[in-house]
Amino acid sequence: MKDSNFLKEHNGRLMWHPMTSPKDSIDQPPKIITGSSGVTITDIDGHQVVDAVGGLWNVNLGYSCQPVKDAISAQLDKLPYYSTFRGTSNDAAIELSYELSEFFAPDGMARAFFTSGGSDSVETALRLARQYHKLRGEAGRTKFLSLKKGYHGTHIGGASVNGNANFRTAYEPLLPGCFHIPAPYTYRNPFNETDPAKLAQLCAAALEDEIAFQGANTIAAMIMEPILGAGGVIPPHPSFAPMVQEICNRHGILLITDEVITAYGRTGAWSGARLWGIQPDMMATAKAITNGYFPFGAVMLGHRFVDVFEDNPAAKIGHGYTYSGHPVGAAAALACLAETRRLNVIENAAARGTQLYEGLQALMAKHDIVGDVRGGYGLMTAMELVSNRATKAPINPDVATMVQDVAYQNGAMVRASGPNLILSPPLILTKDDATTILSALDAGLTAASQAAA
């Protein structure tokens, strides 16, 4: 193992990091994380902080979940890999498909298709949506609808349905036939509507209008996050998702919920679909499925969707990944699912989420650079910084980065994304951990406010 001086010297120089520029990684080297325990992480200099990012929305059970580690170790000794392509399978993947079908039965799910992660799961759902319509004799249904501000990964299909230019512009032209409707983003929307229920109706009407314009018989699916995550934690009004489902059902359009973040308890419900009382046709999941300990994902498939494939002998799925149903990943997911159920993490996610949400509201009352606070559903919260609260004028993203850096020095890793500061800590967070996060954020906001004065 190279010493710390070597690692610091080469940090950002030989490895390109996701979601930043190579030059930025050299000029402002990333923090080097070398250890972890519970909900805390330790950097190369021995500085320990509460991880309010939860890895990347995925370490729901923290960094010391021994049952998952033991399951990975045992599976490596037994069967470290085998394919699930035609003609072969493995016991761990079969058992996991059963457990997931039971777990997601209230959401109307019946089958699982395994992937290597969230972007893979989204890509799989988009491809299978087109095949579904071809099998039904509607080959013209190839288009996709999604929400502005939505995030659906980085593959070509996922990037195409993404609703944020940061993940699109440099890679265009993308997949043709992808169209976006306004998100139910109360703080900023083209309707200047501040009432969440009215905004939900306006966005649903925009969906109806886009369907009419494109032609319902040309649209394969609508994909959306139950709560928009990377776009700044944007929860819709509870009426929105049911309206979207009704519209999609009426027009024969499949509904895909991107549950890569929201599944397995983060919202205070076991899935985002269940939170809003809907049953989509497909659910893309990943992240917390293995607590971040192994790259893995699963697309859950609903009954109506499954029937079209299983009733047709010609429905060959010409899609899959080398690591689909990886036995080590499946073993990790089985242990993770069992521990998630045993701890009943949705209760703590709801309680600590309320604590953070109310704490952020208190910080907003204290600091004028906080324009909006969003959350209220489990451990998904965010604050949006502004240069002028009255006009909602955007703030320089460097200010959010300053808050992030000062918060880190004061005991918490938070995530700056544009003008937003996003919190997605492990679901085993304690009351004291949440207090530490809020105190660290307070220090960061104080420093940024003083620098702007």
Side-chain angles (χ1 to χ4, degrees):
M1 177 65 70
K2 302 295 185 181
D3 63 27
S4 61
N5 288 331
F6 175 92
L7 296 174
K8 288 181 179 180
E9 179 184 351
H10 290 82
N11 187 15
R13 293 186 178 276
L14 301 180
M15 176 173 64
W16 280 13
H17 290 260
M19 303 302 178
T20 190
S21 70
K23 187 177 187 306
D24 185 62
S25 294
I26 295 172
D27 294 343
Q28 301 181 56
K31 295 175 177 63
I32 305 173
I33 308 303
T34 58
S36 59
S37 178
V39 300
T40 64
I41 54 175
T42 305
D43 67 23
I44 199 167
D45 295 316
H47 183 57
Q48 188 175 82
V49 300
V50 175
D51 183 15
V53 186
L56 200 60
W57 305 90
N58 58 343
V59 187
N60 283 13
L61 302 177
Y63 294 95
S64 304
C65 191
Q66 198 60 42
V68 181
K69 295 178 182 180
D70 290 344
I72 290 172
S73 178
Q75 187 63 47
L76 283 171
D77 286 339
K78 177 185 175 184
L79 177 69
Y81 173 76
Y82 212 80
S83 163
T84 59
F85 275 37
R86 180 182 179 182
T88 58
S89 188
N90 66 75
D91 52 352
I94 297 168
E95 185 177 349
L96 178 60
S97 64
Y98 171 80
E99 293 295 336
L100 288 176
S101 67
E102 291 287 302
F103 186 82
F104 289 110
D107 302 299
M109 299 297 107
R111 302 287 188 273
F113 187 99
F114 294 122
T115 73
S116 302
S119 291
D120 284 354
S121 290
V122 168
E123 204 78 4
T124 296
L126 297 178
R127 294 190 71 180
L128 292 181
R130 284 185 168 177
Q131 186 176 7
Y132 167 89
H133 291 295
K134 286 180 169 61
L135 290 172
R136 295 182 67 250
E138 294 188 275
R141 286 185 178 264
T142 60
K143 297 175 183 176
F144 297 108
L145 302 177
S146 57
L147 297 175
K148 294 179 179 178
K149 302 292 289 183
Y151 179 78
H152 302 290
T154 56
H155 291 350
I156 193 70
S160 301
V161 294
N162 272 349
N164 188 320
N166 290 336
F167 309 113
R168 299 171 52 86
T169 306
Y171 310 101
E172 292 175 335
L174 296 171
L175 188 70
C178 298
F179 304 93
H180 302 77
I181 68 166
Y185 177 22
T186 309
Y187 191 61
R188 300 181 192 275
N189 61 78
F191 311 107
N192 293 317
E193 179 57 68
T194 58
D195 180 273
K198 291 181 180 177
L199 179 59
Q201 292 177 337
L202 290 169
C203 292
L207 173 60
E208 287 268 29
D209 182 69
E210 190 65 31
I211 292 171
F213 178 74
Q214 297 295 334
N217 62 351
T218 70
I219 302 170
M222 166 80 180
I223 182 169
M224 69 178 189
E225 300 164 276
I227 294 176
L228 281 71
V233 183
I234 301 171
H237 187 268
S239 64
F240 181 67
M243 283 193 288
V244 170
Q245 179 162 51
E246 188 281 325
I247 292 168
C248 288
N249 286 347
R250 180 158 34 89
H251 292 290
I253 297 167
L254 294 173
L255 177 60
I256 304 165
T257 55
D258 183 340
E259 305 259 4
V260 172
I261 287 173
T262 53
Y264 310 108
R266 178 154 297 280
T267 68
W270 288 124
S271 71
R274 217 170 307 179
L275 175 68
W276 302 132
I278 63 172
Q279 290 194 339
D281 295 289
M282 285 185 276
M283 301 169 69
T285 81
K287 289 195 183 291
I289 194 170
T290 60
N291 201 47
Y293 292 7
F294 195 92
F296 201 81
V299 179
M300 301 307 300
L301 309 169
H303 288 280
R304 179 179 70 167
F305 185 89
V306 167
D307 289 346
V308 168
F309 280 76
E310 295 187 354
D311 289 345
N312 188 337
K316 177 182 177 181
I317 297 173
H319 172 77
Y321 305 99
T322 299
Y323 301 112
S324 290
H326 194 296
V328 178
L334 281 165
C336 191
L337 197 59
E339 192 70 0
T340 295
R341 284 167 159 159
R342 185 186 73 81
L343 294 174
N344 196 27
V345 294
I346 56 175
E347 290 186 359
N348 191 62
R352 298 286 70 79
T354 297
Q355 181 186 356
L356 284 180
Y357 183 53
E358 292 176 350
L360 293 186
Q361 290 176 316
L363 291 178
M364 179 177 174
K366 180 178 179 180
H367 299 283
D368 289 341
I369 63 170
V370 181
D372 192 33
V373 166
R374 296 184 290 274
Y377 296 96
L379 280 167
M380 294 182 69
T381 51
M383 55 172 53
E384 183 171 339
L385 306 186
V386 293
S387 59
N388 185 305
R389 187 182 286 178
T391 64
K392 302 183 182 179
I395 204 164
N396 187 322
D398 290 344
V399 176
T401 301
M402 177 189 292
V403 176
Q404 172 186 269
D405 291 341
V406 175
Y408 184 80
Q409 294 307 316
N410 283 270
M413 171 72 87
V414 301
R415 183 185 181 198
S417 179
N420 298 307
L421 291 161
I422 296 175
L423 305 180
S424 54
L427 306 190
I428 61 169
L429 196 76
T430 67
K431 186 175 182 180
D432 288 345
D433 294 329
T435 298
T436 297
I437 294 168
L438 292 169
S439 177
L441 270 174
D442 189 14
L445 292 167
T446 298
S449 297
Q450 291 173 347

